[in-house]
């Protein structure tokens, strides 16, 4: 028996592969390498001392997915593969809807053919939209997403819910991620975006490394303690362990569940900058810039459902996140 990780050489997928292998499960990775590097599979082997199978395929290619299922005894799918750049999704919405929905539907159809009934999905806090006050709980109404990327997450959650209603043997868990940052403590895998980073932490590490001149802090007039945006940053290794817990839960249950993966604590942009500078002894030059369109003031989770259902809680601190993010960046220099 093996678990298929689509997008398994990406940032969150690779950390989850490590945690699944360390927990004793066999792993098969499918990734088209459109946003990750082939050597990540070797790095996962190096960290864990275990082997895994790697397929360079697009999981909307039904024949390739069927062949993968023929060659491996897959008992569950953890589906990370997907486009994730918010701004790009506004400019190229059809590309996002086509890719993110097609991959999911193809996987679910092939799973149904083979009687594979466990599906874990990379959802996002973005499904809570702009009307709900933080902390977000899973019973809040979702939708009102601010961009096509967010809508693909919302639509896929609805697809999973419907599929579970129709098929009593299916178990689907949508994990609503808050803001994953940090890296594996080995420094061998981490967040490695193409081009200019959109997200805060890779921009900070590249600025500290001198690759970027300075960070732009997007707005200091939000209704938050220091005026900068507040987010629920979660160490990517804690997040990865949440997938192991979700997989175990899904193997013993049927139906659809949406579950937040966050710490429940919000930090501001300036909290992150200052903690990063203090923990790592480096400077992160910054300027205050205009608000970024579509950003919310304050986004953080209520993580109690994950604790109750999965027995999972975060363990790592903001200091750990900042130290491990910098360790990965230094390793890459
Ligand atoms: N920020 C800056 N400067 C930057 C980048 C970010 O000040 O150069 C600020 C943002 O304004 C925000 C915070 O840092 O206040 C975090 O921004 P990120 O871009 O790192 O993350 P977001 O919260 O905007 O986005 C994340 C995920 C998305 C997801 C979204 C909503 O990256 O995939 O949460 O859940 F859709």
């Amino acid at each position: 028996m093996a678990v298929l990780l689509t997008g398994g050489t990406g940032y969150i997928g690779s950390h989850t592969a490590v945690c699944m292998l360390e927990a004793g499960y066999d792993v098969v990775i499918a990734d088209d390498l459109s946003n990750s590097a082939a050597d990540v599979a070797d790095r996962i082997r190096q960290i864990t001392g275990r082997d895994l199978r790697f397929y360079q395929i697009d999981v909307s290619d039904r024949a390739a997915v069927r062949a993968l299922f023929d060659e491996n005894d897959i008992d569950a799918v953890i589906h990370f593969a997907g486009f994730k750049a918010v701004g790009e999704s506004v400019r190229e919405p059809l590309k996002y809807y086509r890719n993110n929905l097609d991959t999911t539907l193809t996987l679910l159809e092939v799973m149904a053919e083979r009687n594979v009934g466990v599906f874990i999905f990379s959802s996002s806090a973005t499904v809570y939209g702009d009307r709900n006050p933080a902390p977000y709980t899973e019973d809040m109404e979702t939708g009102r997403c601010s961009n096509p990327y967010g809508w693909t997450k919302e639509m896929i959650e609805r697809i999973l819910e419907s599929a579970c209603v129709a098929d009593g043997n299916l178990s689907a868990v949508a994990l609503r991620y808050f803001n994953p940052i940090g890296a594996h403590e080995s420094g061998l895998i981490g967040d490695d975006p193409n081009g200019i980073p959109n997200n805060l932490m890779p921009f900070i590490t590249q600025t500290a490394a001198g690759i970027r001149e300075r960070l732009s802090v997007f707005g200091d007039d939000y209704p938050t303690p220091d005026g900068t945006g507040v987010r629920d940053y979660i160490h990517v290794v804690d997040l990865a362990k949440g997938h192991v817990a979700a997989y175990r839960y899904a193997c013993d249950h049927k139906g659809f569940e949406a579950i937040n993966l966050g710490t429940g604590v919000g930090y501001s942009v300036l909290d992150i900058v200052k903690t990063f500078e203090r923990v790592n002894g480096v400077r992160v030059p910054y300027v205050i810039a205009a608000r970024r369109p579509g950003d919310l003031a304050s986004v953080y989770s209520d993580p109690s459902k994950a604790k109750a259902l999965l027995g999972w809680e975060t363990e790592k601190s903001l200091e750990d996140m900042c130290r491990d993010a910098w360790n990965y960046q230094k390793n890459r220099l």
Side-chain angles (χ1 to χ4, degrees), residues 124 126 149 179 198-200 216-218 231 233 292 295:
S124 166
T126 196
Y149 156 79
N179 289 61
N198 293 310
N199 293 118
L200 179 64
S216 293
V217 174
F218 296 143
R231 296 290 181 274
Y233 296 94
R292 183 171 63 179
D295 274 356

Side-chain angles (χ1 to χ4, degrees), residues 84 86 124-127 147 149-150 177-179 197-201 203 215-219 222 228-231 233 269 292 295-297 299:
K84 61 171 188 176
V86 171
S124 166
T126 196
V127 300
N147 56 75
Y149 156 79
Y177 306 156
F178 284 72
N179 289 61
N198 293 310
N199 293 118
L200 179 64
M201 186 53 90
F203 208 103
L215 169 75
S216 293
V217 174
F218 296 143
Y222 285 106
T228 66
V230 165
R231 296 290 181 274
Y233 296 94
V269 176
R292 183 171 63 179
D295 274 356
L296 300 175
V299 174

Side-chain angles (χ1 to χ4, degrees), residues 1-329:
M1 290 296 210
V3 179
L4 171 61
L5 274 58
T6 73
T9 50
Y11 175 44
I12 302 171
S14 60
H15 288 83
T16 302
V18 166
C19 290
M20 290 294 285
L21 289 163
E22 284 177 342
Y25 302 109
D26 290 332
V27 165
V28 175
I29 288 178
D31 200 305
D32 66 0
L33 301 182
S34 59
N35 196 22
S36 59
D39 70 347
V40 173
D42 283 330
R43 290 161 181 256
I44 296 166
R45 294 185 182 103
Q46 194 181 333
I47 292 167
T48 60
R50 293 200 53 203
D51 202 7
L52 60 89
R53 296 189 83 170
F54 173 73
Y55 289 78
Q56 186 178 347
I57 59 166
D58 176 340
V59 289
S60 60
D61 177 345
R62 187 184 310 268
V65 175
R66 281 185 176 141
L68 185 154
F69 274 72
D70 286 342
E71 291 164 20
N72 299 277
D73 190 9
I74 301 295
D75 77 333
V77 175
I78 310 184
H79 182 36
F80 299 98
F83 294 150
K84 61 171 188 176
V86 171
E88 184 184 52
S89 81
V90 176
R91 294 189 298 276
E92 298 183 70
L94 302 184
K95 172 176 160 182
Y96 272 67
Y97 289 115
R98 167 66 69 194
N99 180 71
N100 291 3
L101 299 183
D102 228 8
T103 50
T104 307
L105 292 167
T106 303
L107 288 164
L108 290 169
E109 286 165 357
V110 176
M111 285 172 62
E113 288 169 9
R114 314 292 163 121
N115 288 317
V116 175
V118 173
F119 193 83
I120 313 291
F121 175 61
S122 293
S123 191
S124 166
T126 196
V127 300
Y128 289 109
D130 60 0
R131 286 268 173 94
N132 290 306
Y136 296 153
T137 54
E138 293 85 346
D139 55 3
M140 287 173 167
E141 197 177 329
T142 58
R144 291 185 51 89
C145 300
S146 55
N147 56 75
Y149 156 79
W151 278 114
T152 68
K153 298 295 181 189
E154 169 68 17
M155 288 175 183
I156 292 167
E157 287 202 12
R158 298 289 71 77
I159 289 168
L160 295 176
E161 202 172 20
S162 304
C164 286
V165 169
D167 177 355
N169 284 320
L170 187 59
S171 175
V173 178
L175 296 173
R176 294 178 178 164
Y177 306 156
F178 284 72
N179 289 61
I181 60 170
H184 191 267
E185 62 183 9
S186 65
L188 288 172
I189 53 174
D191 193 4
D192 188 15
N194 288 331
I196 300 172
N198 293 310
N199 293 118
L200 179 64
M201 186 53 90
F203 208 103
I204 288 178
T205 60
Q206 292 190 10
T207 304
I211 299 166
R212 312 274 159 216
E213 204 176 325
R214 66 179 77 84
L215 169 75
S216 293
V217 174
F218 296 143
D220 68 348
D221 57 353
Y222 285 106
T224 61
D226 66 18
T228 66
V230 165
R231 296 290 181 274
D232 183 341
Y233 296 94
I234 173 171
H235 196 294
V236 67
V237 172
D238 277 335
L239 189 81
K241 289 178 180 167
H243 292 73
V244 180
Y247 165 67
R248 290 180 177 141
Y249 171 85
C251 288
D252 290 339
H253 293 80
K254 303 291 178 203
F256 173 76
E257 290 289 351
I259 303 177
N260 290 338
L261 292 185
T263 66
V265 180
Y267 288 105
S268 74
V269 176
L270 293 181
D271 289 334
I272 304 296
V273 171
K274 286 179 182 143
T275 306
F276 189 92
E277 291 186 326
R278 175 171 55 78
V279 169
N280 296 315
V282 290
R283 300 276 305 130
V284 180
Y286 69 85
V287 287
I288 302 298
R291 290 184 180 193
R292 183 171 63 179
D295 274 356
L296 300 175
S298 201
V299 174
Y300 54 95
S301 68
D302 177 337
S304 48
K305 184 173 177 184
K307 187 176 181 192
L309 256 54
L310 310 181
W312 169 91
E313 280 182 287
T314 59
E315 291 164 6
K316 292 181 182 280
S317 65
L318 183 60
E319 282 77 8
D320 296 329
M321 302 181 213
C322 290
R323 190 195 56 234
D324 292 339
W326 181 230
N327 184 45
Y328 177 66
Q329 177 69 55

